[in-house]
Amino acid sequence: DVEGELMDVHDGNIVQWSEDGLYYWYGMGYKNCSLERGLLPPRDCPGVYLPAGHCGFRTDHAINVYTSPDLVRWTFRGEALPLLSRPRGIYFRPKVIFHSQRQEYILWVNYLPPAFDPIL
């Protein structure tokens, strides 16, 4: 990104809400998992290739937001849905859409409750 940090944004979508406006990239942030180390990217989160419970299927992943004026220079803006503001669980493949009739942005994300929680 523009700060020289590796971008942590996966499984999401890139949208431009207005002509000549900024591009927004919404995606999962796997953070820097230190449970195991792998050879394939992401090197600090090889659990994405392993069964649930490893780095790839954790309840503490972020839904990150980046913006860019040109699809080259990206700025980290923060989390779309902070960890403490959402039900505990596994989140993946976030998308953001605009509901034109209601004039609202909607975060659409897959959710799985933790394996030890009862499914309602």
Side-chain angles (χ1 to χ4, degrees), residues 19-87:
E19 189 176 333
D20 298 324
L22 290 173
Y23 293 92
Y24 289 80
W25 192 347
Y26 305 91
M28 294 310 302
Y30 294 134
K31 300 184 180 181
N32 221 6
C33 179
S34 59
L35 293 178
E36 58 254 332
R37 185 126 172 103
L39 298 174
L40 298 172
R43 288 184 184 13
D44 291 328
C45 192
V48 297
Y49 307 107
L50 298 173
H54 293 274
C55 289
F57 297 96
R58 294 172 49 109
T59 60
D60 64 349
H61 290 164
I63 301 173
N64 288 334
V65 181
Y66 288 83
T67 60
S68 173
D70 55 13
L71 297 174
V72 175
R73 296 171 290 145
W74 291 95
T75 301
F76 177 67
R77 297 298 180 175
E79 292 187 34
L81 188 60
L83 188 63
L84 297 178
S85 300
R86 64 186 193 208

Side-chain angles (χ1 to χ4, degrees), residues 52 69 78 110:
N110 290 316

